[in-house]
Amino acid sequence: MKSVEIKPDIYWVGAIDWAVRDFHGYLTPNGTTYNNYLIMDEQVTLVDTVKQDFNTHTIKNIKSLTDPSKIVNIVINHIEPDHASSLDSIMALCPNATIYITNKGQKGLARHFDISKWKIKIVKTGDTLKTGKYTLSFLETPMLHWPDSMMTYVNEAKLLFSQDAFGQHLATSARFDDDFVECASITELNDAVVDYYANILMPFGRLIKSKIAEVQKLGLEIDMIAPDHGIIWRKDPGSILKQYLDLANGKAELRIALIYDTMWHSTERMTIPIMQGIKDEGVDCKVIKLRATPMSVAIKEFWKSRGCLIGSPTLNNLLFPSVAEFLTHLRGLRPKDRIMGAFGSYGWGGGAVRDANEEFKRMKLEMVEPGIQVLYKPSLEDENQCYEFGKNFAVKVKEYHKNFI
Ligand code: FEO
């Protein structure tokens, strides 16, 4: 897609990846974009690059605006390869350009490229770069997303280049939020924001809150947020800031995600009366079978819901592997403000429900113990107990949810 002017003399020059479905293990059914930006000021300045496979896209877009040899500055807000792996291709076209990057960014860059001949300027929060009519201010945001990360604010344009933050994995010809909503819907956009937050930024809620507070304290007026993935927020950038604050504060729906896997359908049979018990308590319920659902979707559904029930058969005295994988993945995302419970079937010794409860404790999540186990296949009596288990768990979730309203 050709370059798009987003502010006077500031252009999106990125690439759209319509086909990516596995983004380092994160399933992306809607593809993604690698956004980077060119400031056509007295000093031509590039902000970020794109994934290496797409370097011809961004180079073509840059060439449509200027000779790349005229690039004077390159700001690298984040060194993850989806944003920085084209840097050597770009530097080959403008070898005299100066790279602006954080200290940790430079160290990371040196692990990916031979940087010995590159001019690099280390920047920290508060440092500025005057490109002509525009002034760029740098704001370090370590761990949002990596230790090297920073954001760049263009003072005169009230524009924040936010790298991963406020992004979405959406391949779309729409470049702006209002364009996207016009051709798709706000629901689809919000869902993409939650999906991205849950799978990438969930561990960093506290940092997000403190960075947003820092931006507010600096009194930065923001009328556009341009992330490195997905659409650009121009219609109402305040709405995405609020959405992020809500997500960081643990906002969730009064709803239960029932996430399970099954061997011979016994654990699966348990989900039906449990779900019915939940519904009869007036709580919405989403049922997800792990081997039939991408991990990233299960994570998103977990994050949207105040409560979560994990169902697993016992295999060799342990959790079923797909359930263990899900819980390990979830633990790495350091979830908060959710309440958990466990259920499952077993043949002799048991162990899956016990291990699920242990995982919840390691994650320091609220939980309802001890869960429910069924020997081999649920009997009618077992199904009645599952129904009561679902009702009781829904009551606990409703009670817990009151802490957040
Ligand atoms: Fe989109 Fe942390 O890279």
Side-chain angles (χ1 to χ4, degrees), residues 250-275:
K251 186 178 176 185
E253 294 166 26
L254 175 55
R255 174 180 190 264
I256 293 168
L258 208 160
I259 298 173
Y260 77 100
D261 218 325
T262 196
M263 286 173 69
W264 289 105
H265 302 295
S266 293
T267 300
E268 191 161 60
R269 282 194 178 95
M270 296 173 76
T271 63
I272 296 163
I274 292 173
M275 182 270 291

mmCIF file of all heavy atoms in Angstrom, residues 250-275:
data_model
loop_
_atom_site.group_PDB
_atom_site.id
_atom_site.type_symbol
_atom_site.label_atom_id
_atom_site.label_comp_id
_atom_site.label_asym_id
_atom_site.label_seq_id
_atom_site.Cartn_x
_atom_site.Cartn_y
_atom_site.Cartn_z
ATOM 1 N N GLY A 250 -7.607 -3.965 35.266
ATOM 2 C CA GLY A 250 -8.232 -5.282 35.425
ATOM 3 C C GLY A 250 -9.690 -5.344 35.019
ATOM 4 O O GLY A 250 -10.405 -6.274 35.395
ATOM 5 N N LYS A 251 -10.147 -4.383 34.228
ATOM 6 C CA LYS A 251 -11.551 -4.399 33.809
ATOM 7 C C LYS A 251 -11.875 -5.716 33.083
ATOM 8 O O LYS A 251 -11.099 -6.168 32.236
ATOM 9 C CB LYS A 251 -11.830 -3.211 32.892
ATOM 10 C CG LYS A 251 -13.288 -3.062 32.537
ATOM 11 C CD LYS A 251 -13.540 -1.850 31.673
ATOM 12 C CE LYS A 251 -15.003 -1.807 31.275
ATOM 13 N NZ LYS A 251 -15.293 -0.729 30.339
ATOM 14 N N ALA A 252 -12.997 -6.323 33.446
ATOM 15 C CA ALA A 252 -13.425 -7.568 32.782
ATOM 16 C C ALA A 252 -14.938 -7.611 32.804
ATOM 17 O O ALA A 252 -15.590 -6.868 33.553
ATOM 18 C CB ALA A 252 -12.850 -8.775 33.519
ATOM 19 N N GLU A 253 -15.490 -8.494 31.993
ATOM 20 C CA GLU A 253 -16.942 -8.651 31.982
ATOM 21 C C GLU A 253 -17.352 -9.650 33.055
ATOM 22 O O GLU A 253 -16.575 -10.537 33.416
ATOM 23 C CB GLU A 253 -17.388 -9.175 30.609
ATOM 24 C CG GLU A 253 -17.138 -8.179 29.488
ATOM 25 C CD GLU A 253 -17.269 -8.811 28.099
ATOM 26 O OE1 GLU A 253 -18.002 -9.809 27.962
ATOM 27 O OE2 GLU A 253 -16.614 -8.315 27.167
ATOM 28 N N LEU A 254 -18.585 -9.493 33.552
ATOM 29 C CA LEU A 254 -19.123 -10.491 34.477
ATOM 30 C C LEU A 254 -19.469 -11.718 33.628
ATOM 31 O O LEU A 254 -20.567 -11.841 33.074
ATOM 32 C CB LEU A 254 -20.360 -9.959 35.200
ATOM 33 C CG LEU A 254 -21.067 -10.966 36.115
ATOM 34 C CD1 LEU A 254 -20.114 -11.556 37.128
ATOM 35 C CD2 LEU A 254 -22.252 -10.323 36.809
ATOM 36 N N ARG A 255 -18.517 -12.596 33.536
ATOM 37 C CA ARG A 255 -18.588 -13.663 32.560
ATOM 38 C C ARG A 255 -17.561 -14.716 32.969
ATOM 39 O O ARG A 255 -16.585 -14.403 33.647
ATOM 40 C CB ARG A 255 -18.217 -13.036 31.227
ATOM 41 C CG ARG A 255 -18.045 -13.840 30.014
ATOM 42 C CD ARG A 255 -17.687 -12.815 28.929
ATOM 43 N NE ARG A 255 -17.709 -13.375 27.610
ATOM 44 C CZ ARG A 255 -16.624 -13.832 26.990
ATOM 45 N NH1 ARG A 255 -15.453 -13.797 27.581
ATOM 46 N NH2 ARG A 255 -16.720 -14.309 25.767
ATOM 47 N N ILE A 256 -17.822 -15.952 32.570
ATOM 48 C CA ILE A 256 -16.891 -17.029 32.929
ATOM 49 C C ILE A 256 -16.392 -17.699 31.650
ATOM 50 O O ILE A 256 -17.196 -18.100 30.795
ATOM 51 C CB ILE A 256 -17.572 -18.057 33.862
ATOM 52 C CG1 ILE A 256 -17.868 -17.391 35.218
ATOM 53 C CG2 ILE A 256 -16.689 -19.290 34.052
ATOM 54 C CD1 ILE A 256 -18.771 -18.187 36.128
ATOM 55 N N ALA A 257 -15.078 -17.802 31.534
ATOM 56 C CA ALA A 257 -14.487 -18.576 30.439
ATOM 57 C C ALA A 257 -14.279 -19.994 30.950
ATOM 58 O O ALA A 257 -13.626 -20.197 31.972
ATOM 59 C CB ALA A 257 -13.170 -17.953 30.011
ATOM 60 N N LEU A 258 -14.853 -20.926 30.241
ATOM 61 C CA LEU A 258 -14.740 -22.338 30.639
ATOM 62 C C LEU A 258 -13.788 -22.995 29.632
ATOM 63 O O LEU A 258 -14.162 -23.268 28.496
ATOM 64 C CB LEU A 258 -16.152 -22.927 30.572
ATOM 65 C CG LEU A 258 -16.493 -24.097 31.483
ATOM 66 C CD1 LEU A 258 -17.990 -24.207 31.628
ATOM 67 C CD2 LEU A 258 -15.921 -25.356 30.935
ATOM 68 N N ILE A 259 -12.562 -23.160 30.047
ATOM 69 C CA ILE A 259 -11.495 -23.557 29.116
ATOM 70 C C ILE A 259 -11.056 -24.976 29.458
ATOM 71 O O ILE A 259 -10.648 -25.254 30.586
ATOM 72 C CB ILE A 259 -10.310 -22.569 29.224
ATOM 73 C CG1 ILE A 259 -10.782 -21.165 28.817
ATOM 74 C CG2 ILE A 259 -9.138 -23.018 28.359
ATOM 75 C CD1 ILE A 259 -9.773 -20.062 29.041
ATOM 76 N N TYR A 260 -11.165 -25.879 28.487
ATOM 77 C CA TYR A 260 -10.948 -27.293 28.824
ATOM 78 C C TYR A 260 -10.302 -28.041 27.662
ATOM 79 O O TYR A 260 -10.255 -27.570 26.529
ATOM 80 C CB TYR A 260 -12.295 -27.963 29.169
ATOM 81 C CG TYR A 260 -13.116 -28.280 27.941
ATOM 82 C CD1 TYR A 260 -13.139 -29.576 27.415
ATOM 83 C CD2 TYR A 260 -13.820 -27.286 27.266
ATOM 84 C CE1 TYR A 260 -13.864 -29.873 26.256
ATOM 85 C CE2 TYR A 260 -14.538 -27.568 26.123
ATOM 86 C CZ TYR A 260 -14.564 -28.860 25.618
ATOM 87 O OH TYR A 260 -15.256 -29.139 24.480
ATOM 88 N N ASP A 261 -9.856 -29.255 27.975
ATOM 89 C CA ASP A 261 -9.581 -30.235 26.933
ATOM 90 C C ASP A 261 -10.060 -31.589 27.445
ATOM 91 O O ASP A 261 -10.445 -31.711 28.630
ATOM 92 C CB ASP A 261 -8.116 -30.243 26.522
ATOM 93 C CG ASP A 261 -7.985 -30.448 25.011
ATOM 94 O OD1 ASP A 261 -8.820 -31.208 24.437
ATOM 95 O OD2 ASP A 261 -7.091 -29.868 24.399
ATOM 96 N N THR A 262 -10.044 -32.568 26.570
ATOM 97 C CA THR A 262 -10.672 -33.827 26.921
ATOM 98 C C THR A 262 -9.985 -34.986 26.187
ATOM 99 O O THR A 262 -9.421 -34.781 25.105
ATOM 100 C CB THR A 262 -12.194 -33.755 26.585
ATOM 101 O OG1 THR A 262 -12.866 -34.793 27.242
ATOM 102 C CG2 THR A 262 -12.446 -33.799 25.084
ATOM 103 N N MET A 263 -10.021 -36.201 26.802
ATOM 104 C CA MET A 263 -9.440 -37.377 26.139
ATOM 105 C C MET A 263 -10.539 -38.251 25.528
ATOM 106 O O MET A 263 -10.602 -38.488 24.348
ATOM 107 C CB MET A 263 -8.650 -38.209 27.158
ATOM 108 C CG MET A 263 -7.325 -37.597 27.552
ATOM 109 S SD MET A 263 -6.540 -38.519 28.882
ATOM 110 C CE MET A 263 -6.114 -40.038 28.057
ATOM 111 N N TRP A 264 -11.432 -38.742 26.429
ATOM 112 C CA TRP A 264 -12.519 -39.625 25.986
ATOM 113 C C TRP A 264 -13.885 -38.985 26.243
ATOM 114 O O TRP A 264 -14.847 -39.663 26.522
ATOM 115 C CB TRP A 264 -12.406 -40.988 26.677
ATOM 116 C CG TRP A 264 -11.222 -41.762 26.157
ATOM 117 C CD1 TRP A 264 -10.035 -41.979 26.775
ATOM 118 C CD2 TRP A 264 -11.121 -42.404 24.875
ATOM 119 N NE1 TRP A 264 -9.186 -42.700 25.987
ATOM 120 C CE2 TRP A 264 -9.829 -42.992 24.804
ATOM 121 C CE3 TRP A 264 -11.976 -42.540 23.772
ATOM 122 C CZ2 TRP A 264 -9.390 -43.705 23.692
ATOM 123 C CZ3 TRP A 264 -11.535 -43.246 22.663
ATOM 124 C CH2 TRP A 264 -10.261 -43.823 22.636
ATOM 125 N N HIS A 265 -13.922 -37.660 26.214
ATOM 126 C CA HIS A 265 -15.157 -36.859 26.301
ATOM 127 C C HIS A 265 -15.748 -36.770 27.710
ATOM 128 O O HIS A 265 -16.819 -36.187 27.870
ATOM 129 C CB HIS A 265 -16.213 -37.349 25.303
ATOM 130 C CG HIS A 265 -15.732 -37.330 23.883
ATOM 131 N ND1 HIS A 265 -15.423 -36.157 23.221
ATOM 132 C CD2 HIS A 265 -15.458 -38.340 23.027
ATOM 133 C CE1 HIS A 265 -14.995 -36.441 22.000
ATOM 134 N NE2 HIS A 265 -14.993 -37.767 21.854
ATOM 135 N N SER A 266 -15.092 -37.343 28.730
ATOM 136 C CA SER A 266 -15.688 -37.257 30.070
ATOM 137 C C SER A 266 -15.597 -35.835 30.615
ATOM 138 O O SER A 266 -16.601 -35.278 31.087
ATOM 139 C CB SER A 266 -14.976 -38.222 31.029
ATOM 140 O OG SER A 266 -15.241 -39.540 30.623
ATOM 141 N N THR A 267 -14.401 -35.215 30.506
ATOM 142 C CA THR A 267 -14.276 -33.818 30.963
ATOM 143 C C THR A 267 -15.196 -32.940 30.121
ATOM 144 O O THR A 267 -15.840 -32.019 30.635
ATOM 145 C CB THR A 267 -12.802 -33.358 30.861
ATOM 146 O OG1 THR A 267 -12.010 -34.223 31.693
ATOM 147 C CG2 THR A 267 -12.633 -31.932 31.336
ATOM 148 N N GLU A 268 -15.281 -33.269 28.837
ATOM 149 C CA GLU A 268 -16.170 -32.490 27.953
ATOM 150 C C GLU A 268 -17.627 -32.588 28.409
ATOM 151 O O GLU A 268 -18.351 -31.591 28.413
ATOM 152 C CB GLU A 268 -16.026 -33.005 26.525
ATOM 153 C CG GLU A 268 -16.685 -32.118 25.491
ATOM 154 C CD GLU A 268 -16.109 -32.422 24.113
ATOM 155 O OE1 GLU A 268 -16.229 -33.574 23.651
ATOM 156 O OE2 GLU A 268 -15.526 -31.523 23.519
ATOM 157 N N ARG A 269 -18.043 -33.794 28.822
ATOM 158 C CA ARG A 269 -19.433 -33.965 29.289
ATOM 159 C C ARG A 269 -19.696 -33.121 30.533
ATOM 160 O O ARG A 269 -20.811 -32.668 30.766
ATOM 161 C CB ARG A 269 -19.705 -35.439 29.604
ATOM 162 C CG ARG A 269 -19.953 -36.273 28.372
ATOM 163 C CD ARG A 269 -20.560 -37.644 28.725
ATOM 164 N NE ARG A 269 -20.822 -38.390 27.508
ATOM 165 C CZ ARG A 269 -19.974 -39.287 26.975
ATOM 166 N NH1 ARG A 269 -18.834 -39.568 27.584
ATOM 167 N NH2 ARG A 269 -20.274 -39.910 25.849
ATOM 168 N N MET A 270 -18.657 -32.919 31.333
ATOM 169 C CA MET A 270 -18.830 -32.118 32.552
ATOM 170 C C MET A 270 -19.124 -30.651 32.230
ATOM 171 O O MET A 270 -19.766 -29.942 33.010
ATOM 172 C CB MET A 270 -17.563 -32.191 33.426
ATOM 173 C CG MET A 270 -17.264 -33.574 33.963
ATOM 174 S SD MET A 270 -15.665 -33.651 34.810
ATOM 175 C CE MET A 270 -16.054 -32.852 36.370
ATOM 176 N N THR A 271 -18.632 -30.168 31.082
ATOM 177 C CA THR A 271 -18.794 -28.739 30.772
ATOM 178 C C THR A 271 -20.276 -28.366 30.611
ATOM 179 O O THR A 271 -20.655 -27.242 30.908
ATOM 180 C CB THR A 271 -18.058 -28.341 29.468
ATOM 181 O OG1 THR A 271 -18.644 -29.043 28.364
ATOM 182 C CG2 THR A 271 -16.572 -28.640 29.545
ATOM 183 N N ILE A 272 -21.102 -29.330 30.178
ATOM 184 C CA ILE A 272 -22.496 -28.968 29.855
ATOM 185 C C ILE A 272 -23.302 -28.618 31.116
ATOM 186 O O ILE A 272 -23.872 -27.526 31.209
ATOM 187 C CB ILE A 272 -23.162 -30.072 29.008
ATOM 188 C CG1 ILE A 272 -22.415 -30.145 27.661
ATOM 189 C CG2 ILE A 272 -24.643 -29.796 28.794
ATOM 190 C CD1 ILE A 272 -22.649 -31.409 26.876
ATOM 191 N N PRO A 273 -23.336 -29.507 32.134
ATOM 192 C CA PRO A 273 -24.051 -29.092 33.351
ATOM 193 C C PRO A 273 -23.376 -27.926 34.079
ATOM 194 O O PRO A 273 -24.078 -27.094 34.679
ATOM 195 C CB PRO A 273 -24.039 -30.355 34.222
ATOM 196 C CG PRO A 273 -22.987 -31.249 33.654
ATOM 197 C CD PRO A 273 -22.890 -30.908 32.201
ATOM 198 N N ILE A 274 -22.051 -27.835 33.997
ATOM 199 C CA ILE A 274 -21.377 -26.693 34.655
ATOM 200 C C ILE A 274 -21.830 -25.393 33.991
ATOM 201 O O ILE A 274 -22.199 -24.420 34.655
ATOM 202 C CB ILE A 274 -19.834 -26.844 34.582
ATOM 203 C CG1 ILE A 274 -19.367 -28.012 35.453
ATOM 204 C CG2 ILE A 274 -19.150 -25.557 35.025
ATOM 205 C CD1 ILE A 274 -17.880 -28.360 35.335
ATOM 206 N N MET A 275 -21.800 -25.395 32.652
ATOM 207 C CA MET A 275 -22.229 -24.201 31.913
ATOM 208 C C MET A 275 -23.687 -23.854 32.241
ATOM 209 O O MET A 275 -24.036 -22.690 32.440
ATOM 210 C CB MET A 275 -22.059 -24.469 30.408
ATOM 211 C CG MET A 275 -22.401 -23.329 29.499
ATOM 212 S SD MET A 275 -24.123 -23.358 29.006
ATOM 213 C CE MET A 275 -24.166 -24.783 27.947
#
